[in-house]
Structures are given as C-alpha cells and as structure tokens.
Amino acid sequence: MKASIYLLFALIFALFTESCKNFSGLVNDAGRVLDGSAFDEKTIKTYKSADKSLSVRLVSTKDGDRQIVFVLNRVPFVQFYCTEPDQTGLFFITRVHFLFSSAGGWLEGDAAVSGTGLIVETASPSGGNTTEFSLQGPVSFTAITRGGIRRYDKRLYGRRALAELRNREERIRLVTRWMKEQSPPALLASPHDFENYWRPVLLPETVGKKLRPPRYTELSAAQNESNAYSFGGDIKWNTAYTKELFPEHLRQLRDGGSLLRDWEEAALWFYADYFWNTIIRDLCEKHYLNQ
C-alpha cells in the first residue's frame, strides 16, 4: 500500500512540478516513474541538440553500469537505451522503453532492439567544439520483453501483460503496413494530425457524420437495405465499408472491435510504428549537442 502511494505521489510530482519542463520531459519523467527506472538511474550528464529536437543523457545505474539514454522530442513516449560509448564513441542500442497513454490508462514496457550509434566530440560548424550524435543505420526490433497495462482501476503485469502487448504489436504492424500503402497526405507529422486523419478513415462509426468519408455514407445507405452489419465493441460496424477498405486478412480486426480497442488504448503506438523508419532516418542525421 505504501509503495503504491509513493508511486502515485512520485508520478504527480513528475507531471506537475518544474513548470519550466517541456511536454517531452514530462512524459519521460512519468514513464520513468511508472517502470521504476527513475529510482534506478542517476543522471551524470544531459545534452540537448541545438534545435531542442533531441535529448541525450549519460546515466549510471544502481549496479554501477553506465548507459546512454536518448529520446526525440517528436516521440517522447519512446526512449532508447544504449551501452556506454567506447573510446571511439561507438555505442550499441540494447532496448527501447515505450509508454503509450490514453484516457483510460497506459501501456508500458521494453522491447529488445539492435542498432548502433556514434557520439563524439568534434568541431562545431559555428566554431569551437561540440558533441556530435548520430545513429549508424537501422534499428531492428527483436521482441517485447517486459510490460505492464493499466485500464482504469485494473492492472496487468507478467506473462499476461506480455502476451497481450505482443499480440497488439502484431495487429498494429499489420494495420500500419496497410496504412502506408494508401498514399495518405504528407503533412501528418504530429500525433494530433495523424489521429484526426486516420480515425475517420479506419473507424468512421466513432466520429461525427460530418467527419466521415463520403464513401462510408454511400455504402451505409446501401447497407441499410441489406441490414448486414457486424457488432463488436458495442459498435455496429458497416461490413460493406470494411470489405471495401481492408484486405481480407484485416477485416475481422475492424468488424470484431479489436481495431477500436487498439486505437483507443494505443493510438500513439500506431503513430510510432507508422513513422518508425522516418524517426530512425532523422536520428541518422548528425545532431550537434550542448550540455
């Protein structure tokens, strides 16, 4: 009981104090409280890129190891953990920690990944010395290795949470792979714009009539004549729209309600997976850091 109260107050402290912090910093602090890493790490140095888009920390753990932890301001809900750089500045990415929040709770956990990067002191373009950071290639996922789920007053940990997170990851990847094939607008850089565009496309039954795609309205009129609907997640799904929208292997996700649950609990996960290659490509560019 005392531990739960302590975590609650620690989370509130991370979220609502130090008003000078930006949103990225708040999400990082909240995530570190939720997974316990806030109490296992001691920050030795903190760096930020000149444009404030990237934060890098050198931390020591309670067992004496040193690690590099970095996060892009664009996706503050995804943190990369790496080995301490060697004498040449080379480091290896070992895991990614994620925290996806929603109105009803959160999903958090770790995924094993592989990738390399370089952090070295070099001459600054503006003169003097600076710290240069860049990844050296793609970052590949292996598997989710640990996680937790909070749904209102219910919490899941251990094998059950891990199985659910792995199943959700598989479903989200199937959907985002299809999404990227649909030639969506280019200007969907923020999570807000991403959700505003894709929710009416994927789940028009859950938005106002004015936001629904015209084709959905046309198919709804025809659907009313045949009265062929599917019920899932307390929603009456237009199966004609589903059939026209999705390939066969994805249709049950929408008509059975799984897509709705995934979206409502983890829209940020869709966003992160959809833009993963873009995120890594940005990190492969040179970033000049200052303490």
Side-chain angles (χ1 to χ4, degrees), residues 112-188:
V113 298
S114 62
T116 61
L118 200 63
I119 181 167
V120 294
E121 189 171 296
T122 184
S124 170
S126 57
N129 292 331
T130 189
T131 302
E132 183 181 294
F133 173 99
S134 63
L135 297 190
Q136 301 300 293
V139 176
S140 304
F141 275 86
T142 303
I144 297 176
T145 57
R146 188 204 62 79
I149 300 171
R150 170 76 180 266
R151 292 191 181 98
Y152 298 99
D153 60 348
K154 184 179 180 180
R155 300 186 185 214
L156 294 177
Y157 291 102
R159 292 183 180 180
R160 186 175 174 187
L162 185 59
E164 186 168 325
L165 290 171
R166 286 176 174 175
N167 289 337
R168 174 159 285 173
E169 178 192 30
E170 182 178 352
R171 294 194 301 270
I172 288 175
R173 285 191 174 180
L174 287 173
V175 175
T176 56
R177 187 178 304 153
W178 170 86
M179 291 164 71
K180 286 184 280 190
E181 296 171 352
Q182 306 312 302
S183 300
L187 299 177
L188 296 176

Side-chain angles (χ1 to χ4, degrees), residues 22 42 59 71 97 105 119 143 180 204 214 217 236 240 247 279 283 287:
N22 59 22
K42 179 181 179 181
V59 304
V71 59
H97 177 72
I119 181 167
K180 286 184 280 190
T217 303
K236 186 171 73 170
I279 292 166
L283 288 166
H287 295 265

